[in-house]
PDB file of all heavy atoms in Angstrom:
ATOM      1  N   ASN H 141      -2.531  -6.757  -0.923  1.00 98.00           N
ATOM      2  CA  ASN H 141      -2.109  -5.656  -0.055  1.00 98.00           C
ATOM      3  C   ASN H 141      -2.072  -4.338  -0.824  1.00 98.00           C
ATOM      4  O   ASN H 141      -2.442  -3.288  -0.310  1.00 98.00           O
ATOM      5  CB  ASN H 141      -0.747  -5.978   0.552  1.00 98.00           C
ATOM      6  CG  ASN H 141      -0.409  -5.058   1.715  1.00 98.00           C
ATOM      7  OD1 ASN H 141       0.380  -4.149   1.564  1.00 98.00           O
ATOM      8  ND2 ASN H 141      -1.040  -5.271   2.857  1.00 98.00           N
ATOM      9  N   LEU H 142      -1.623  -4.394  -2.080  1.00 98.00           N
ATOM     10  CA  LEU H 142      -1.533  -3.177  -2.884  1.00 98.00           C
ATOM     11  C   LEU H 142      -2.899  -2.731  -3.393  1.00 98.00           C
ATOM     12  O   LEU H 142      -3.109  -1.549  -3.654  1.00 98.00           O
ATOM     13  CB  LEU H 142      -0.580  -3.395  -4.071  1.00 98.00           C
ATOM     14  CG  LEU H 142       0.877  -3.684  -3.695  1.00 98.00           C
ATOM     15  CD1 LEU H 142       1.702  -3.999  -4.943  1.00 98.00           C
ATOM     16  CD2 LEU H 142       1.493  -2.505  -2.946  1.00 98.00           C
ATOM     17  N   CYS H 143      -3.817  -3.695  -3.572  1.00 98.00           N
ATOM     18  CA  CYS H 143      -5.125  -3.360  -4.167  1.00 98.00           C
ATOM     19  C   CYS H 143      -6.235  -3.219  -3.118  1.00 98.00           C
ATOM     20  O   CYS H 143      -7.390  -3.045  -3.476  1.00 98.00           O
ATOM     21  CB  CYS H 143      -5.534  -4.437  -5.179  1.00 98.00           C
ATOM     22  SG  CYS H 143      -4.427  -4.561  -6.589  1.00 98.00           S
ATOM     23  N   GLN H 144      -5.909  -3.324  -1.836  1.00 98.00           N
ATOM     24  CA  GLN H 144      -6.944  -3.266  -0.811  1.00 98.00           C
ATOM     25  C   GLN H 144      -7.672  -1.925  -0.838  1.00 98.00           C
ATOM     26  O   GLN H 144      -7.146  -0.917  -1.288  1.00 98.00           O
ATOM     27  CB  GLN H 144      -6.339  -3.506   0.575  1.00 98.00           C
ATOM     28  CG  GLN H 144      -5.338  -2.443   1.002  1.00 98.00           C
ATOM     29  CD  GLN H 144      -4.792  -2.675   2.406  1.00 98.00           C
ATOM     30  OE1 GLN H 144      -5.536  -2.693   3.361  1.00 98.00           O
ATOM     31  NE2 GLN H 144      -3.496  -2.869   2.515  1.00 98.00           N
ATOM     32  N   ARG H 145      -8.896  -1.937  -0.322  1.00 98.00           N
ATOM     33  CA  ARG H 145      -9.746  -0.739  -0.317  1.00 98.00           C
ATOM     34  C   ARG H 145      -9.513   0.078   0.970  1.00 98.00           C
ATOM     35  O   ARG H 145      -8.922  -0.412   1.920  1.00 98.00           O
ATOM     36  CB  ARG H 145     -11.227  -1.141  -0.416  1.00 98.00           C
ATOM     37  CG  ARG H 145     -11.628  -1.997  -1.603  1.00 98.00           C
ATOM     38  CD  ARG H 145     -11.595  -1.369  -2.980  1.00 98.00           C
ATOM     39  NE  ARG H 145     -11.832   0.017  -3.169  1.00 98.00           N
ATOM     40  CZ  ARG H 145     -12.980   0.578  -3.583  1.00 98.00           C
ATOM     41  NH1 ARG H 145     -14.035  -0.176  -3.793  1.00 98.00           N
ATOM     42  NH2 ARG H 145     -13.079   1.867  -3.804  1.00 98.00           N
ATOM     43  N   PRO H 146      -9.996   1.317   1.008  1.00 98.00           N
ATOM     44  CA  PRO H 146      -9.723   2.179   2.167  1.00 98.00           C
ATOM     45  C   PRO H 146     -10.313   1.634   3.464  1.00 98.00           C
ATOM     46  O   PRO H 146     -11.303   0.908   3.449  1.00 98.00           O
ATOM     47  CB  PRO H 146     -10.441   3.486   1.807  1.00 98.00           C
ATOM     48  CG  PRO H 146     -10.764   3.407   0.371  1.00 98.00           C
ATOM     49  CD  PRO H 146     -10.811   1.981  -0.011  1.00 98.00           C
ATOM     50  N   ARG H 147      -9.701   2.033   4.578  1.00 97.00           N
ATOM     51  CA  ARG H 147     -10.206   1.598   5.887  1.00 97.00           C
ATOM     52  C   ARG H 147     -11.051   2.675   6.555  1.00 97.00           C
ATOM     53  O   ARG H 147     -11.512   2.471   7.686  1.00 97.00           O
ATOM     54  CB  ARG H 147      -9.037   1.262   6.825  1.00 97.00           C
ATOM     55  CG  ARG H 147      -8.111   0.192   6.359  1.00 97.00           C
ATOM     56  CD  ARG H 147      -8.761  -1.081   5.965  1.00 97.00           C
ATOM     57  NE  ARG H 147      -9.440  -1.805   7.012  1.00 97.00           N
ATOM     58  CZ  ARG H 147      -9.873  -3.056   6.896  1.00 97.00           C
ATOM     59  NH1 ARG H 147      -9.708  -3.712   5.761  1.00 97.00           N
ATOM     60  NH2 ARG H 147     -10.508  -3.636   7.881  1.00 97.00           N
ATOM     61  N   CYS H 148     -11.216   3.827   5.937  1.00 98.00           N
ATOM     62  CA  CYS H 148     -12.010   4.913   6.545  1.00 98.00           C
ATOM     63  C   CYS H 148     -13.293   4.342   7.145  1.00 98.00           C
ATOM     64  O   CYS H 148     -14.024   3.612   6.494  1.00 98.00           O
ATOM     65  CB  CYS H 148     -12.362   5.948   5.475  1.00 98.00           C
ATOM     66  SG  CYS H 148     -13.620   7.120   6.043  1.00 98.00           S
ATOM     67  N   TRP H 149     -13.567   4.659   8.411  1.00 97.00           N
ATOM     68  CA  TRP H 149     -14.712   4.028   9.083  1.00 97.00           C
ATOM     69  C   TRP H 149     -16.041   4.478   8.519  1.00 97.00           C
ATOM     70  O   TRP H 149     -17.039   3.787   8.696  1.00 97.00           O
ATOM     71  CB  TRP H 149     -14.640   4.168  10.589  1.00 97.00           C
ATOM     72  CG  TRP H 149     -14.284   5.512  11.149  1.00 97.00           C
ATOM     73  CD1 TRP H 149     -14.447   6.725  10.587  1.00 97.00           C
ATOM     74  CD2 TRP H 149     -13.680   5.722  12.424  1.00 97.00           C
ATOM     75  NE1 TRP H 149     -13.991   7.701  11.418  1.00 97.00           N
ATOM     76  CE2 TRP H 149     -13.517   7.119  12.563  1.00 97.00           C
ATOM     77  CE3 TRP H 149     -13.268   4.892  13.463  1.00 97.00           C
ATOM     78  CZ2 TRP H 149     -12.953   7.706  13.690  1.00 97.00           C
ATOM     79  CZ3 TRP H 149     -12.717   5.474  14.581  1.00 97.00           C
ATOM     80  CH2 TRP H 149     -12.556   6.856  14.699  1.00 97.00           C
ATOM     81  N   TYR H 150     -16.105   5.612   7.872  1.00 98.00           N
ATOM     82  CA  TYR H 150     -17.377   6.005   7.222  1.00 98.00           C
ATOM     83  C   TYR H 150     -17.582   5.152   5.969  1.00 98.00           C
ATOM     84  O   TYR H 150     -18.676   4.673   5.696  1.00 98.00           O
ATOM     85  CB  TYR H 150     -17.362   7.491   6.870  1.00 98.00           C
ATOM     86  CG  TYR H 150     -17.319   8.371   8.094  1.00 98.00           C
ATOM     87  CD1 TYR H 150     -16.179   9.094   8.413  1.00 98.00           C
ATOM     88  CD2 TYR H 150     -18.420   8.445   8.946  1.00 98.00           C
ATOM     89  CE1 TYR H 150     -16.135   9.885   9.548  1.00 98.00           C
ATOM     90  CE2 TYR H 150     -18.388   9.232  10.083  1.00 98.00           C
ATOM     91  CZ  TYR H 150     -17.241   9.948  10.384  1.00 98.00           C
ATOM     92  OH  TYR H 150     -17.199  10.720  11.513  1.00 98.00           O
ATOM     93  N   TYR H 151     -16.506   4.958   5.240  1.00 97.00           N
ATOM     94  CA  TYR H 151     -16.591   4.102   4.046  1.00 97.00           C
ATOM     95  C   TYR H 151     -16.974   2.675   4.446  1.00 97.00           C
ATOM     96  O   TYR H 151     -17.820   2.045   3.820  1.00 97.00           O
ATOM     97  CB  TYR H 151     -15.237   4.116   3.309  1.00 97.00           C
ATOM     98  CG  TYR H 151     -15.122   3.065   2.245  1.00 97.00           C
ATOM     99  CD1 TYR H 151     -15.747   3.230   1.018  1.00 97.00           C
ATOM    100  CD2 TYR H 151     -14.402   1.889   2.484  1.00 97.00           C
ATOM    101  CE1 TYR H 151     -15.665   2.244   0.044  1.00 97.00           C
ATOM    102  CE2 TYR H 151     -14.310   0.909   1.521  1.00 97.00           C
ATOM    103  CZ  TYR H 151     -14.936   1.081   0.306  1.00 97.00           C
ATOM    104  OH  TYR H 151     -14.853   0.104  -0.645  1.00 97.00           O
ATOM    105  N   ARG H 152     -16.367   2.167   5.518  1.00 97.00           N
ATOM    106  CA  ARG H 152     -16.644   0.782   5.952  1.00 97.00           C
ATOM    107  C   ARG H 152     -17.999   0.680   6.652  1.00 97.00           C
ATOM    108  O   ARG H 152     -18.512  -0.408   6.869  1.00 97.00           O
ATOM    109  CB  ARG H 152     -15.541   0.293   6.895  1.00 97.00           C
ATOM    110  CG  ARG H 152     -14.170   0.184   6.233  1.00 97.00           C
ATOM    111  CD  ARG H 152     -13.955  -1.154   5.550  1.00 97.00           C
ATOM    112  NE  ARG H 152     -12.828  -1.097   4.634  1.00 97.00           N
ATOM    113  CZ  ARG H 152     -12.303  -2.155   4.030  1.00 97.00           C
ATOM    114  NH1 ARG H 152     -12.770  -3.359   4.233  1.00 97.00           N
ATOM    115  NH2 ARG H 152     -11.304  -2.016   3.184  1.00 97.00           N
ATOM    116  N   GLY H 153     -18.549   1.808   7.062  1.00 95.00           N
ATOM    117  CA  GLY H 153     -19.848   1.790   7.739  1.00 95.00           C
ATOM    118  C   GLY H 153     -20.976   2.106   6.763  1.00 95.00           C
ATOM    119  O   GLY H 153     -20.808   2.075   5.549  1.00 95.00           O
ATOM    120  N   GLU H 154     -22.119   2.459   7.343  1.00 92.00           N
ATOM    121  CA  GLU H 154     -23.298   2.662   6.486  1.00 92.00           C
ATOM    122  C   GLU H 154     -23.456   4.135   6.113  1.00 92.00           C
ATOM    123  O   GLU H 154     -24.519   4.727   6.328  1.00 92.00           O
ATOM    124  CB  GLU H 154     -24.540   2.138   7.203  1.00 92.00           C
ATOM    125  CG  GLU H 154     -24.511   0.619   7.339  1.00 92.00           C
ATOM    126  CD  GLU H 154     -25.591   0.096   8.270  1.00 92.00           C
ATOM    127  OE1 GLU H 154     -26.417   0.890   8.753  1.00 92.00           O
ATOM    128  OE2 GLU H 154     -25.589  -1.115   8.500  1.00 92.00           O
ATOM    129  N   PHE H 155     -22.404   4.721   5.595  1.00 96.00           N
ATOM    130  CA  PHE H 155     -22.457   6.137   5.240  1.00 96.00           C
ATOM    131  C   PHE H 155     -22.266   6.303   3.729  1.00 96.00           C
ATOM    132  O   PHE H 155     -21.249   5.863   3.200  1.00 96.00           O
ATOM    133  CB  PHE H 155     -21.350   6.913   5.981  1.00 96.00           C
ATOM    134  CG  PHE H 155     -21.546   6.932   7.464  1.00 96.00           C
ATOM    135  CD1 PHE H 155     -21.069   5.881   8.252  1.00 96.00           C
ATOM    136  CD2 PHE H 155     -22.222   7.979   8.073  1.00 96.00           C
ATOM    137  CE1 PHE H 155     -21.264   5.891   9.620  1.00 96.00           C
ATOM    138  CE2 PHE H 155     -22.407   7.994   9.457  1.00 96.00           C
ATOM    139  CZ  PHE H 155     -21.927   6.941  10.233  1.00 96.00           C
ATOM    140  N   PRO H 156     -23.219   6.911   3.064  1.00 96.00           N
ATOM    141  CA  PRO H 156     -23.104   7.077   1.606  1.00 96.00           C
ATOM    142  C   PRO H 156     -22.172   8.230   1.250  1.00 96.00           C
ATOM    143  O   PRO H 156     -22.588   9.261   0.756  1.00 96.00           O
ATOM    144  CB  PRO H 156     -24.545   7.370   1.188  1.00 96.00           C
ATOM    145  CG  PRO H 156     -25.142   8.049   2.378  1.00 96.00           C
ATOM    146  CD  PRO H 156     -24.450   7.505   3.595  1.00 96.00           C
ATOM    147  N   CYS H 157     -20.888   8.040   1.540  1.00 97.00           N
ATOM    148  CA  CYS H 157     -19.925   9.136   1.360  1.00 97.00           C
ATOM    149  C   CYS H 157     -19.517   9.254  -0.108  1.00 97.00           C
ATOM    150  O   CYS H 157     -19.925   8.458  -0.955  1.00 97.00           O
ATOM    151  CB  CYS H 157     -18.711   8.905   2.251  1.00 97.00           C
ATOM    152  SG  CYS H 157     -17.659   7.567   1.683  1.00 97.00           S
ATOM    153  N   LEU H 158     -18.671  10.240  -0.379  1.00 97.00           N
ATOM    154  CA  LEU H 158     -18.193  10.496  -1.748  1.00 97.00           C
ATOM    155  C   LEU H 158     -17.677   9.225  -2.420  1.00 97.00           C
ATOM    156  O   LEU H 158     -17.958   8.963  -3.582  1.00 97.00           O
ATOM    157  CB  LEU H 158     -17.030  11.492  -1.704  1.00 97.00           C
ATOM    158  CG  LEU H 158     -17.339  12.973  -1.566  1.00 97.00           C
ATOM    159  CD1 LEU H 158     -16.041  13.731  -1.432  1.00 97.00           C
ATOM    160  CD2 LEU H 158     -18.131  13.443  -2.771  1.00 97.00           C
ATOM    161  N   LYS H 159     -16.908   8.463  -1.668  1.00 96.00           N
ATOM    162  CA  LYS H 159     -16.285   7.278  -2.264  1.00 96.00           C
ATOM    163  C   LYS H 159     -17.318   6.248  -2.707  1.00 96.00           C
ATOM    164  O   LYS H 159     -17.072   5.439  -3.587  1.00 96.00           O
ATOM    165  CB  LYS H 159     -15.276   6.658  -1.279  1.00 96.00           C
ATOM    166  CG  LYS H 159     -14.489   5.541  -1.904  1.00 96.00           C
ATOM    167  CD  LYS H 159     -13.145   5.322  -1.298  1.00 96.00           C
ATOM    168  CE  LYS H 159     -12.045   6.163  -1.858  1.00 96.00           C
ATOM    169  NZ  LYS H 159     -11.785   5.992  -3.303  1.00 96.00           N
ATOM    170  N   LYS H 160     -18.499   6.283  -2.093  1.00 94.00           N
ATOM    171  CA  LYS H 160     -19.560   5.352  -2.501  1.00 94.00           C
ATOM    172  C   LYS H 160     -20.551   6.035  -3.443  1.00 94.00           C
ATOM    173  O   LYS H 160     -21.682   5.582  -3.599  1.00 94.00           O
ATOM    174  CB  LYS H 160     -20.280   4.841  -1.266  1.00 94.00           C
ATOM    175  CG  LYS H 160     -19.435   3.963  -0.371  1.00 94.00           C
ATOM    176  CD  LYS H 160     -20.338   3.450   0.738  1.00 94.00           C
ATOM    177  CE  LYS H 160     -19.602   2.996   1.927  1.00 94.00           C
ATOM    178  NZ  LYS H 160     -20.415   3.091   3.135  1.00 94.00           N
ATOM    179  N   GLY H 161     -20.131   7.160  -4.014  1.00 94.00           N
ATOM    180  CA  GLY H 161     -21.008   7.849  -4.972  1.00 94.00           C
ATOM    181  C   GLY H 161     -21.903   8.888  -4.320  1.00 94.00           C
ATOM    182  O   GLY H 161     -22.750   9.482  -4.985  1.00 94.00           O
ATOM    183  N   GLY H 162     -21.726   9.121  -3.015  1.00 96.00           N
ATOM    184  CA  GLY H 162     -22.536  10.123  -2.321  1.00 96.00           C
ATOM    185  C   GLY H 162     -22.014  11.529  -2.563  1.00 96.00           C
ATOM    186  O   GLY H 162     -21.136  11.749  -3.406  1.00 96.00           O
ATOM    187  N   GLU H 163     -22.543  12.470  -1.777  1.00 95.00           N
ATOM    188  CA  GLU H 163     -22.243  13.877  -2.084  1.00 95.00           C
ATOM    189  C   GLU H 163     -21.257  14.538  -1.152  1.00 95.00           C
ATOM    190  O   GLU H 163     -20.802  15.632  -1.430  1.00 95.00           O
ATOM    191  CB  GLU H 163     -23.553  14.665  -2.085  1.00 95.00           C
ATOM    192  CG  GLU H 163     -24.475  14.094  -3.149  1.00 95.00           C
ATOM    193  CD  GLU H 163     -25.526  15.039  -3.624  1.00 95.00           C
ATOM    194  OE1 GLU H 163     -25.899  15.928  -2.862  1.00 95.00           O
ATOM    195  OE2 GLU H 163     -25.956  14.839  -4.771  1.00 95.00           O
ATOM    196  N   SER H 164     -20.948  13.893  -0.015  1.00 96.00           N
ATOM    197  CA  SER H 164     -20.003  14.577   0.874  1.00 96.00           C
ATOM    198  C   SER H 164     -19.069  13.589   1.565  1.00 96.00           C
ATOM    199  O   SER H 164     -19.325  12.385   1.590  1.00 96.00           O
ATOM    200  CB  SER H 164     -20.762  15.405   1.918  1.00 96.00           C
ATOM    201  OG  SER H 164     -21.575  14.554   2.675  1.00 96.00           O
ATOM    202  N   CYS H 165     -18.006  14.160   2.106  1.00 98.00           N
ATOM    203  CA  CYS H 165     -17.049  13.379   2.886  1.00 98.00           C
ATOM    204  C   CYS H 165     -17.381  13.592   4.352  1.00 98.00           C
ATOM    205  O   CYS H 165     -17.280  14.711   4.856  1.00 98.00           O
ATOM    206  CB  CYS H 165     -15.626  13.852   2.574  1.00 98.00           C
ATOM    207  SG  CYS H 165     -14.421  13.153   3.722  1.00 98.00           S
ATOM    208  N   TYR H 166     -17.782  12.530   5.030  1.00 98.00           N
ATOM    209  CA  TYR H 166     -18.214  12.640   6.418  1.00 98.00           C
ATOM    210  C   TYR H 166     -17.045  12.941   7.357  1.00 98.00           C
ATOM    211  O   TYR H 166     -17.241  13.389   8.482  1.00 98.00           O
ATOM    212  CB  TYR H 166     -18.909  11.349   6.862  1.00 98.00           C
ATOM    213  CG  TYR H 166     -20.251  11.168   6.197  1.00 98.00           C
ATOM    214  CD1 TYR H 166     -20.336  10.668   4.900  1.00 98.00           C
ATOM    215  CD2 TYR H 166     -21.423  11.519   6.844  1.00 98.00           C
ATOM    216  CE1 TYR H 166     -21.563  10.526   4.269  1.00 98.00           C
ATOM    217  CE2 TYR H 166     -22.658  11.378   6.225  1.00 98.00           C
ATOM    218  CZ  TYR H 166     -22.718  10.884   4.937  1.00 98.00           C
ATOM    219  OH  TYR H 166     -23.930  10.757   4.319  1.00 98.00           O
ATOM    220  N   ALA H 167     -15.839  12.669   6.905  1.00 98.00           N
ATOM    221  CA  ALA H 167     -14.679  12.874   7.778  1.00 98.00           C
ATOM    222  C   ALA H 167     -14.379  14.356   7.983  1.00 98.00           C
ATOM    223  O   ALA H 167     -13.788  14.735   8.993  1.00 98.00           O
ATOM    224  CB  ALA H 167     -13.452  12.175   7.189  1.00 98.00           C
ATOM    225  N   VAL H 168     -14.767  15.198   7.048  1.00 97.00           N
ATOM    226  CA  VAL H 168     -14.394  16.612   7.134  1.00 97.00           C
ATOM    227  C   VAL H 168     -14.917  17.238   8.424  1.00 97.00           C
ATOM    228  O   VAL H 168     -14.169  17.867   9.171  1.00 97.00           O
ATOM    229  CB  VAL H 168     -14.908  17.383   5.897  1.00 97.00           C
ATOM    230  CG1 VAL H 168     -14.659  18.873   6.053  1.00 97.00           C
ATOM    231  CG2 VAL H 168     -14.229  16.867   4.637  1.00 97.00           C
ATOM    232  N   ALA H 169     -16.184  17.015   8.721  1.00 97.00           N
ATOM    233  CA  ALA H 169     -16.743  17.592   9.949  1.00 97.00           C
ATOM    234  C   ALA H 169     -16.950  16.531  11.021  1.00 97.00           C
ATOM    235  O   ALA H 169     -17.510  16.809  12.073  1.00 97.00           O
ATOM    236  CB  ALA H 169     -18.071  18.272   9.633  1.00 97.00           C
ATOM    237  N   GLY H 170     -16.485  15.315  10.764  1.00 98.00           N
ATOM    238  CA  GLY H 170     -16.759  14.208  11.683  1.00 98.00           C
ATOM    239  C   GLY H 170     -15.526  13.740  12.437  1.00 98.00           C
ATOM    240  O   GLY H 170     -14.650  14.534  12.800  1.00 98.00           O
ATOM    241  N   GLN H 171     -15.444  12.424  12.653  1.00 98.00           N
ATOM    242  CA  GLN H 171     -14.325  11.818  13.388  1.00 98.00           C
ATOM    243  C   GLN H 171     -13.178  11.597  12.397  1.00 98.00           C
ATOM    244  O   GLN H 171     -13.235  10.695  11.568  1.00 98.00           O
ATOM    245  CB  GLN H 171     -14.769  10.477  13.968  1.00 98.00           C
ATOM    246  CG  GLN H 171     -15.905  10.585  14.974  1.00 98.00           C
ATOM    247  CD  GLN H 171     -15.463  11.253  16.274  1.00 98.00           C
ATOM    248  OE1 GLN H 171     -14.377  10.997  16.779  1.00 98.00           O
ATOM    249  NE2 GLN H 171     -16.300  12.129  16.800  1.00 98.00           N
ATOM    250  N   ASN H 172     -12.166  12.443  12.492  1.00 98.00           N
ATOM    251  CA  ASN H 172     -11.120  12.386  11.458  1.00 98.00           C
ATOM    252  C   ASN H 172      -9.725  12.153  12.027  1.00 98.00           C
ATOM    253  O   ASN H 172      -8.719  12.485  11.399  1.00 98.00           O
ATOM    254  CB  ASN H 172     -11.142  13.653  10.597  1.00 98.00           C
ATOM    255  CG  ASN H 172     -11.158  14.907  11.450  1.00 98.00           C
ATOM    256  OD1 ASN H 172     -10.438  14.996  12.437  1.00 98.00           O
ATOM    257  ND2 ASN H 172     -11.979  15.880  11.077  1.00 98.00           N
ATOM    258  N   LYS H 173      -9.674  11.499  13.172  1.00 98.00           N
ATOM    259  CA  LYS H 173      -8.394  11.225  13.830  1.00 98.00           C
ATOM    260  C   LYS H 173      -7.443  10.421  12.935  1.00 98.00           C
ATOM    261  O   LYS H 173      -6.223  10.569  13.003  1.00 98.00           O
ATOM    262  CB  LYS H 173      -8.711  10.442  15.105  1.00 98.00           C
ATOM    263  CG  LYS H 173      -7.542  10.001  15.913  1.00 98.00           C
ATOM    264  CD  LYS H 173      -8.019   9.286  17.175  1.00 98.00           C
ATOM    265  CE  LYS H 173      -6.851   8.692  17.913  1.00 98.00           C
ATOM    266  NZ  LYS H 173      -7.260   7.862  19.039  1.00 98.00           N
ATOM    267  N   TYR H 174      -8.010   9.525  12.125  1.00 98.00           N
ATOM    268  CA  TYR H 174      -7.159   8.618  11.335  1.00 98.00           C
ATOM    269  C   TYR H 174      -7.012   9.063   9.877  1.00 98.00           C
ATOM    270  O   TYR H 174      -6.560   8.288   9.045  1.00 98.00           O
ATOM    271  CB  TYR H 174      -7.749   7.201  11.376  1.00 98.00           C
ATOM    272  CG  TYR H 174      -7.841   6.631  12.769  1.00 98.00           C
ATOM    273  CD1 TYR H 174      -9.075   6.345  13.337  1.00 98.00           C
ATOM    274  CD2 TYR H 174      -6.700   6.413  13.529  1.00 98.00           C
ATOM    275  CE1 TYR H 174      -9.165   5.844  14.628  1.00 98.00           C
ATOM    276  CE2 TYR H 174      -6.784   5.914  14.820  1.00 98.00           C
ATOM    277  CZ  TYR H 174      -8.011   5.632  15.368  1.00 98.00           C
ATOM    278  OH  TYR H 174      -8.093   5.147  16.647  1.00 98.00           O
ATOM    279  N   HIS H 175      -7.416  10.271   9.573  1.00 98.00           N
ATOM    280  CA  HIS H 175      -7.483  10.656   8.160  1.00 98.00           C
ATOM    281  C   HIS H 175      -6.234  11.408   7.685  1.00 98.00           C
ATOM    282  O   HIS H 175      -5.252  11.508   8.406  1.00 98.00           O
ATOM    283  CB  HIS H 175      -8.782  11.423   7.919  1.00 98.00           C
ATOM    284  CG  HIS H 175      -9.982  10.523   7.986  1.00 98.00           C
ATOM    285  ND1 HIS H 175     -10.492  10.071   9.186  1.00 98.00           N
ATOM    286  CD2 HIS H 175     -10.723   9.936   7.018  1.00 98.00           C
ATOM    287  CE1 HIS H 175     -11.522   9.268   8.954  1.00 98.00           C
ATOM    288  NE2 HIS H 175     -11.680   9.164   7.635  1.00 98.00           N
ATOM    289  N   ALA H 176      -6.332  11.900   6.452  1.00 98.00           N
ATOM    290  CA  ALA H 176      -5.144  12.453   5.770  1.00 98.00           C
ATOM    291  C   ALA H 176      -4.774  13.844   6.262  1.00 98.00           C
ATOM    292  O   ALA H 176      -5.644  14.662   6.553  1.00 98.00           O
ATOM    293  CB  ALA H 176      -5.411  12.488   4.268  1.00 98.00           C
ATOM    294  N   ILE H 177      -3.473  14.080   6.320  1.00 98.00           N
ATOM    295  CA  ILE H 177      -2.980  15.445   6.601  1.00 98.00           C
ATOM    296  C   ILE H 177      -2.285  16.030   5.372  1.00 98.00           C
ATOM    297  O   ILE H 177      -1.989  17.207   5.319  1.00 98.00           O
ATOM    298  CB  ILE H 177      -2.010  15.486   7.811  1.00 98.00           C
ATOM    299  CG1 ILE H 177      -0.801  14.555   7.601  1.00 98.00           C
ATOM    300  CG2 ILE H 177      -2.724  15.150   9.099  1.00 98.00           C
ATOM    301  CD1 ILE H 177       0.335  14.769   8.603  1.00 98.00           C
TER     302      ILE H 177
END
Side-chain angles (χ1 to χ4, degrees):
N141 194 257
L142 297 175
C143 296
Q144 63 178 299
R145 304 291 330 259
R147 301 308 296 192
C148 168
W149 45 25
Y150 295 110
Y151 168 77
R152 295 273 164 171
E154 292 169 4
F155 294 86
C157 72
L158 280 175
K159 187 153 274 300
K160 293 185 201 154
E163 299 202 334
S164 60
C165 169
Y166 290 81
V168 174
Q171 298 291 319
N172 49 43
K173 177 178 173 187
Y174 300 116
H175 289 76
I177 57 168

